[in-house]
Amino acid sequence: MLDLFSEEAPWQEPLAEGAVILRRRARDQADALLAEIYAIAAQNPFAHRITPGGHRMSVAMTNCGDLGWSSDSRGYQYTEQDNHSGHKWPPMPSLFRELAQQTAQEAGFSGFNPDACLINRYEPGAKLTLHQDKDEKDLRQPIVSVSLGLPAVFQFGGFERGDATQRVLLEHGDIVVWGGPSRLRYHGILPLKPGVHPQAGAFRYNLTFRRAH
Ligand code: MD6
Ligand code: FE
């Protein structure tokens, strides 16, 4: 919808071939997205997973959808239930699914149908070290990433961990869609700076939509 009174309508910012930032694209839905996140977390609480190397992750995670990503001493995997609570993951809200499908389409990826949504919650100091997302079966499918709450510095690198990285600030309502030739680029989040966001409080939330199976 065209909003003539908005100071800054969503705009697109290319990152690399197959990767684009849709700035502020989720801003108008942010309160509804946050309400869904809180409802999901009431059923399957955010938890700090342990990496296969034995480290406690500083980012707290939960999931919704048919499959959820998690980590434990056996490795990284997609599962149908939350190993912490023993419950299935809550269904993916239609608001989430439609936003992911629509924005994938806007970025040039038609027919995206996510079966997993990982929800990350960052508190001040929390970070995500450089990694590739490669646990999904079909790497031709893109990933859609929605940022809410406090801003964070996103590192977007190359295909080797040691490659140079671009740094971009991801703010409330920004969506990153990437796939194609960029699908296996290394990326991460630098330690979150303390702050209070008017809608999300002292946290940053990130939703990543994936086709896992
Ligand atoms: C984050 N995002 O923004 C972490 N992965 O908190 C990711 O790790 C990520 O944004 C794959 C695709 C898009 C992403
Ligand atoms: Fe990732």
Side-chain angles (χ1 to χ4, degrees), residues 74-87:
R74 290 164 300 180
Y76 302 115
Q77 56 198 333
Y78 283 100
T79 58
E80 289 175 7
Q81 82 294 320
D82 179 353
N83 292 333
H84 270 256
S85 68
H87 299 151

Side-chain angles (χ1 to χ4, degrees), residues 57 59 61 120 122 126-131 155 187-189:
M57 297 186 77
V59 177
M61 298 178 171
N120 287 335
Y122 295 74
K127 62 179 168 44
L128 201 59
T129 53
L130 284 176
H131 67 278
Q155 296 174 290
H187 57 281
I189 295 283

Side-chain angles (χ1 to χ4, degrees), residues 18-31:
V20 63
I21 308 179
L22 311 177
R23 291 285 189 192
R24 314 297 186 264
R25 177 62 179 77
R27 193 185 47 189
D28 292 347
Q29 287 123 298
D31 281 328

Side-chain angles (χ1 to χ4, degrees), residues 120 122 128 131 133 143 145 147 154 170 178 187 189 204 206 208 210:
N120 287 335
Y122 295 74
L128 201 59
H131 67 278
D133 286 55
I143 293 181
S145 156
S147 292
F154 181 67
L170 293 182
W178 89 62
H187 57 281
I189 295 283
R204 170 178 187 260
N206 177 260
T208 43
R210 299 116 189 284

Side-chain angles (χ1 to χ4, degrees), residues 47-114:
H48 295 270
R49 316 276 162 186
I50 305 296
T51 65
H55 298 285
R56 174 186 186 268
M57 297 186 77
S58 58
V59 177
M61 298 178 171
T62 188
N63 290 272
C64 65
D66 291 341
L67 292 162
W69 186 89
S70 68
S71 163
D72 63 18
S73 56
R74 290 164 300 180
Y76 302 115
Q77 56 198 333
Y78 283 100
T79 58
E80 289 175 7
Q81 82 294 320
D82 179 353
N83 292 333
H84 270 256
S85 68
H87 299 151
K88 282 182 61 172
W89 301 109
M92 191 181 296
S94 50
L95 173 67
F96 281 25
R97 180 182 304 283
E98 282 159 20
L99 182 64
Q101 288 173 336
Q102 269 175 27
T103 53
Q105 178 89 48
E106 290 167 22
F109 297 95
S110 60
F112 180 53
N113 187 22

